[in-house]
Each structure stands twice: as C-alpha cells, then as structure tokens.
Amino acid sequence: EDILVGGVQDSNVHEDENSDITGNDYVSDVEVDTDYANAEYWDKRYREYSPFDWLMEYSHYKANGLSTFIQEGDNILMLGCGSAAFSADMYDDGFINIKNIDLSSVVIERMSAMHSEVRPEMTWQVMDVQKLEFDDETFDIVFDKSTMDCIFC
C-alpha cells in the first residue's frame, strides 16, 4: 500500500508489523526507503513527483521580510533547488542573478528547459552541494530552502 509522504503518494514507503521495545505488537511502524545523498534517488523522485515544494512558498518569505536582506543585483546561489517555484518567483520579483544547483540531472534538465527562455539570467547546473565548484566570494546570498523551511515552520 502506498503512503502519503510530503503530500505525495510514495511507493517507497511501506508498513512493517513489528513490536516495540516492551514487546508489544503494533502495525503503525513506517519504514521509508530514502537515500537523499544519492542522485539516482532524486532522479527517480523528480520523474514521478514534479513540481514539488516541501513546505513554504516564496510568497511566505516575501511577506515576512525576505527582501530586506537581499538586493536586486545580488548574486544568489540556490542549493538543492529541486522543482520548486521558489527561484522563479524570486526572479519574477526582481532578483534575476540566480544560479540553481541540484544533485539531480533530471530536475536540472526539466527546470532549465522550463525557465531558460523566459528567465534567461537564471541558470541551472548539476552539482553536489558538498563539492561546490565556485570560487570563494562568488555569491552574495546562498539559500538552503530546506533549512529555511524548518526555521519558519
């Protein structure tokens, strides 16, 4: 049986019948087969569930004063951009110097194809956030939206 995870149906999730530490049986233990550090995991996920945004949208951050920390001419790096509309919404709000990186070639190809003509200054590149290929001080702002979502929730 598929279970909803992050608002989407995930066939990689399954229930196991187990017992807890006291020996009591239960059926509600959920095991999730994830490998977040593996590009193949994300490629498969983005083929099945895209577009996808984890928690908060750009409008939430804008309403809470995000633009007080960013200048329109800033060079912005979006770590693990995924298929969220966050970067496109920022771009449309005047922050056009955005470089998006993600481990998944599937999502980078899709997002680049979707945005390259209408948002030409925004770029997309496959890259592991643990092995950044940029010179020091290339960016004025670096976003990790997953961390921001956790803080704002």
Side-chain angles (χ1 to χ4, degrees), residues 5-152:
V5 174
V8 296
Q9 201 168 19
D10 193 340
S11 59
N12 293 326
V13 178
H14 54 277
E15 292 187 34
D16 288 333
E17 185 169 326
N18 289 311
S19 60
D20 65 16
I21 197 165
T22 64
N24 296 323
D25 289 336
Y26 60 91
V27 182
S28 61
D29 186 33
V30 176
E31 181 182 319
V32 180
D33 296 327
T34 58
D35 188 1
Y36 292 143
N38 186 327
E40 288 78 23
Y41 168 83
W42 289 108
D43 287 346
K44 180 178 186 246
R45 182 120 180 133
Y46 286 120
R47 278 188 201 99
E48 295 175 6
Y49 310 114
S50 200
F52 183 79
D53 202 347
W54 289 97
L55 297 171
M56 304 292 201
E57 296 177 352
Y58 173 72
S59 59
H60 172 81
Y61 293 103
K62 181 179 178 182
N64 284 283
L66 177 68
S67 61
T68 61
F69 301 101
I70 308 170
Q71 304 296 313
E72 286 190 3
D74 284 348
N75 288 315
I76 301 168
L77 176 62
M78 194 66 64
L79 303 173
C81 62
S83 60
F86 194 87
S87 295
D89 292 343
M90 279 189 73
Y91 186 101
D92 294 346
D93 207 26
F95 305 103
I96 63 172
N97 300 316
I98 303 173
K99 179 172 281 296
N100 297 279
I101 65 168
D102 200 284
L103 193 58
S104 170
S105 61
V106 169
V107 79
I108 291 297
E109 289 170 14
R110 285 185 181 177
M111 297 300 280
S112 179
M114 184 184 320
H115 297 288
S116 62
E117 286 187 33
V118 294
R119 299 175 181 92
E121 290 86 359
M122 188 164 58
T123 62
W124 306 86
Q125 187 173 351
V126 175
M127 190 180 301
D128 185 337
V129 70
Q130 299 176 79
K131 301 172 186 168
L132 296 177
E133 302 169 10
F134 305 110
D135 292 333
D136 290 348
E137 300 182 27
T138 298
F139 299 98
D140 303 300
I141 304 289
V142 178
F143 278 103
D144 179 348
K145 187 174 170 299
S146 296
T147 300
M148 291 175 36
D149 282 349
C150 292
I151 292 169
F152 271 87

